[in-house]
């Protein structure tokens, strides 16, 4: 019997070593839980000791959890950076929309991820492009900037000039989005690990974790992103928004694969800056300090709403609980336009008041002289 157990033990070690060596998804899972397991066990211990042994009040439990979060938030971010790929992508998402879903200590610790990651080297990027398109870099481009204009968790973006499509045609300035090949390969293992971690830490957010899986499944296939760009362009044009108010880059059909996406190069204000400006104006119209405060309030109320079993029916969600927000239930989509108009008028009045104050100050200075 002892020999049987010994053989089983040795077989288990050999199987584990083989899986770890040859199966990237299994190796990825081991690496994740080697860093995550101590954080989970510590969290469970803090709650168990406070609730079952020390019989703490809710206030004391929250205080202890805050200490735990402050200590573990940097460790969690370090783990995310080491793992890379989809972990960083989701960390970036949660750093922007995490208020109300995650404790604030984690949201703050994740914010540096918004600055992106160091880019991959040109040799690796050119190899991905050539393997994905079946053409050499010289065949595809007149010029290709080796330094990316942006790098993130799953891809990086380069400026390039595409060779003319027809003889005598003009070279085409483009931006090229190149996905790192291991991201899609390890996607399923990574998302499964994150769902388990969510279940252990914050089971109330399991629906969010599952929605992230669906969202990123679509994002990892650039042909679907190209399809979304075309569809969005058609919809915007249908309502007269594109190109008069918004300009959506056209997909370059010659280079469109699951890993590589080429789009025409456009100059202008970045979408994130435009959204931030709009959020700030809407926040001011709603009596909030800025866009960040508005996002925190909205996220918190959304979480409370869905935790209480609320649906999306008419009148079911009073997001801010004040009279201005009730416009949404009365006027529907027109409410956003009304708020924007109110914000514009208020901005104009504020600017006029500032200008008048400056003019008055200059007059007073003139009289004094």
């Amino acid at each position: 019997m002892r020999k049987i157990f010994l053989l089983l033990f040795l077989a288990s070690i050999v199987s584990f070593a083989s899986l770890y060596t040859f199966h990237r998804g299994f190796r990825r899972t081991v690496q994740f839980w080697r860093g995550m397991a101590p954080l989970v066990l510590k969290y469970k211990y803090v709650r168990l000791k406070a609730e079952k042994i020390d019989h703490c009040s809710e206030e004391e439990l929250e205080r202890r959890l805050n200490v735990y979060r402050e200590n573990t938030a940097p460790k969690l971010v370090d783990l995310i950076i080491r793992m890379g790929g989809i972990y960083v992508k989701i960390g970036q998402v949660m750093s922007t929309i995490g208020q109300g879903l995650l404790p604030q200590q984690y949201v703050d610790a994740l914010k540096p991820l918004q600055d992106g990651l160091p880019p991959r080297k040109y040799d690796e990027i050119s190899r991905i492009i050539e393997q994905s398109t079946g053409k050499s870099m010289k065949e595809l481009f007149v010029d290709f900037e080796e330094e990316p204009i942006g790098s993130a968790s799953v891809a990086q973006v380069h400026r390039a000039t595409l060779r003319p499509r027809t003889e005598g045609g003009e070279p085409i300035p483009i931006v090229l989005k190149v996905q790192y090949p291991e991201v899609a390969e390890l996607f399923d293992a990574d998302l499964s690990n994150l769902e388990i971690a969510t279940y252990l830490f914050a089971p109330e957010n399991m629906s969010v974790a599952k929605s992230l899986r669906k969202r990123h499944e679509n994002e990892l296939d650039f042909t679907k992103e190209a399809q979304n760009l075309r569809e969005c362009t058609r919809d915007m044009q249908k309502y007269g928004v594109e190109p008069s108010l918004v300009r959506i880059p056209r997909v370059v059909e010659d280079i469109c694969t699951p890993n590589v996406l080429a789009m025409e190069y456009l100059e202008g204000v970045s979408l994130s800056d435009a959204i931030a400006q709009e959020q700030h104006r809407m926040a001011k119209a709603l009596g909030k300090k800025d866009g960040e405060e508005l996002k925190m309030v909205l996220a918190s109320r959304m979480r409370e709403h869905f935790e209480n079993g609320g649906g999306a029916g008419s009148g079911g969600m009073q997001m801010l609980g004040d009279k201005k927000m009730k416009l949404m239930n009365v006027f529907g989509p027109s409410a956003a336009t009304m708020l924007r108009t109110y914000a514009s008028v208020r901005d104009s009045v504020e600017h006029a008041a500032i200008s008048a104050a400056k003019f008055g100050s200059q007059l007073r200075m003139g009289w004094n002289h």
Side-chain angles (χ1 to χ4, degrees):
M1 183 66 71
R2 186 177 298 175
K3 288 183 178 179
I4 293 174
F5 280 120
L6 181 60
L7 287 172
L8 288 172
F9 177 71
L10 291 174
S12 299
I13 292 177
V14 171
S15 298
F16 181 88
S18 299
L19 280 170
Y20 189 85
T21 303
F22 299 109
H23 194 290
R24 293 188 69 181
F26 180 78
R27 184 165 65 249
R28 184 88 163 163
T29 298
V30 172
Q31 291 168 345
F32 176 79
W33 285 106
R34 188 166 59 198
M36 196 69 181
L39 305 183
V40 173
L41 292 174
K42 178 69 174 176
Y43 173 76
K44 295 295 184 183
Y45 170 75
V46 169
R47 289 200 69 104
L48 179 67
K49 187 173 186 299
E51 294 174 347
K52 304 298 182 183
I53 299 174
D54 297 338
H55 302 290
C56 295
S57 64
E58 287 293 325
E59 291 78 10
E60 175 61 17
L61 171 61
E62 188 60 26
R63 187 193 69 79
R64 294 187 185 187
L65 287 176
N66 281 332
V67 171
Y68 163 83
R69 291 161 185 157
E70 288 169 5
N71 292 333
T72 57
K75 297 177 182 177
L76 181 62
V77 175
D78 287 342
L79 175 62
I80 288 172
I81 293 172
R82 286 201 310 272
M83 297 300 295
I86 204 74
Y87 292 102
V88 174
K89 175 75 172 176
I90 293 176
Q92 290 169 333
V93 171
M94 297 312 295
S95 72
T96 57
I97 66 167
Q99 287 96 343
L101 297 174
L102 293 178
Q104 192 60 39
Q105 294 92 333
Y106 293 118
V107 176
D108 292 339
L110 290 168
K111 282 183 178 177
L113 296 179
Q114 295 176 17
D115 296 332
L117 296 174
R120 304 283 178 96
K121 293 182 178 179
Y122 169 73
D123 289 344
E124 182 179 355
I125 294 301
S126 62
R127 188 167 57 252
I128 295 169
I129 294 169
E130 291 177 342
Q131 289 175 351
S132 186
T133 62
K135 296 180 180 179
S136 69
M137 298 292 285
K138 287 185 178 180
E139 288 179 277
L140 291 168
F141 307 109
V142 175
D143 177 63
F144 186 92
E145 294 186 7
E146 296 186 11
E147 190 70 24
I149 58 176
S151 60
S153 53
V154 301
Q156 62 191 57
V157 180
H158 292 258
R159 285 190 65 177
T161 305
L162 201 62
R163 290 195 178 279
R165 297 179 180 179
T166 58
E167 190 172 344
E170 291 291 324
I172 306 170
I174 64 166
V175 291
L176 200 69
K177 188 175 179 181
V178 185
Q179 184 182 137
Y180 308 137
E182 76 279 1
V183 173
E185 180 185 347
L186 300 172
F187 172 80
D188 190 61
D190 287 346
L191 265 294
S192 296
N193 291 330
L194 285 170
E195 286 175 3
I196 295 170
T198 301
Y199 176 77
L200 293 172
F201 270 108
E204 68 276 9
N205 289 333
M206 278 302 294
S207 59
V208 176
K210 291 185 182 297
S211 68
L212 286 172
R213 174 185 286 272
K214 185 169 182 61
R215 171 185 170 180
H216 287 93
E217 278 177 348
N218 292 328
E219 285 191 1
L220 292 179
D221 185 346
F222 284 173
T223 60
K224 292 182 179 178
E225 182 171 339
Q227 182 180 337
N228 291 337
L229 279 169
R230 297 186 198 100
E231 184 178 343
C232 185
T233 301
R234 288 194 300 270
D235 290 344
M236 292 287 195
Q237 290 174 343
K238 180 180 177 182
Y239 291 100
V241 175
E242 211 275 353
S244 58
L245 297 176
V246 174
R247 181 70 166 82
I248 300 171
R250 305 295 184 255
V251 175
V252 179
E253 304 295 343
D254 299 11
I255 308 180
C256 182
T257 74
N259 297 320
V260 178
L261 175 62
M263 298 166 282
E264 64 174 326
Y265 176 75
L266 298 175
E267 292 193 15
V269 178
S270 72
L271 179 61
S272 59
D273 287 346
I275 291 173
Q277 292 169 8
E278 178 73 359
Q279 286 175 339
H280 183 73
R281 295 179 65 215
M282 292 286 282
K284 289 287 188 182
L286 290 166
K288 304 300 175 185
K289 183 176 71 174
D290 53 27
E292 284 299 313
E293 182 183 356
L294 178 62
K295 283 195 293 185
M296 288 182 66
V297 173
L298 287 172
S300 177
R301 294 297 170 87
M302 283 178 67
R303 183 179 179 182
E304 291 174 8
H305 174 77
F306 288 112
E307 282 180 356
N308 293 331
S314 175
M317 190 184 284
Q318 290 294 339
M319 298 295 290
L320 299 180
D322 59 22
K323 293 180 180 178
K324 291 174 184 172
M325 205 59 199
K326 288 178 183 175
L327 285 168
M328 297 297 182
N329 284 342
V330 177
F331 295 103
S334 303
T337 303
M338 294 171 64
L339 285 171
R340 288 191 189 97
T341 303
Y342 170 71
S344 297
V345 171
R346 198 166 89 167
D347 285 349
S348 300
V349 171
E350 286 180 356
H351 291 154
I354 291 170
S355 299
K358 287 181 178 178
F359 181 67
S361 176
Q362 291 171 351
L363 282 176
R364 284 194 297 273
M365 288 177 64
W367 289 333
N368 290 335
H369 286 302

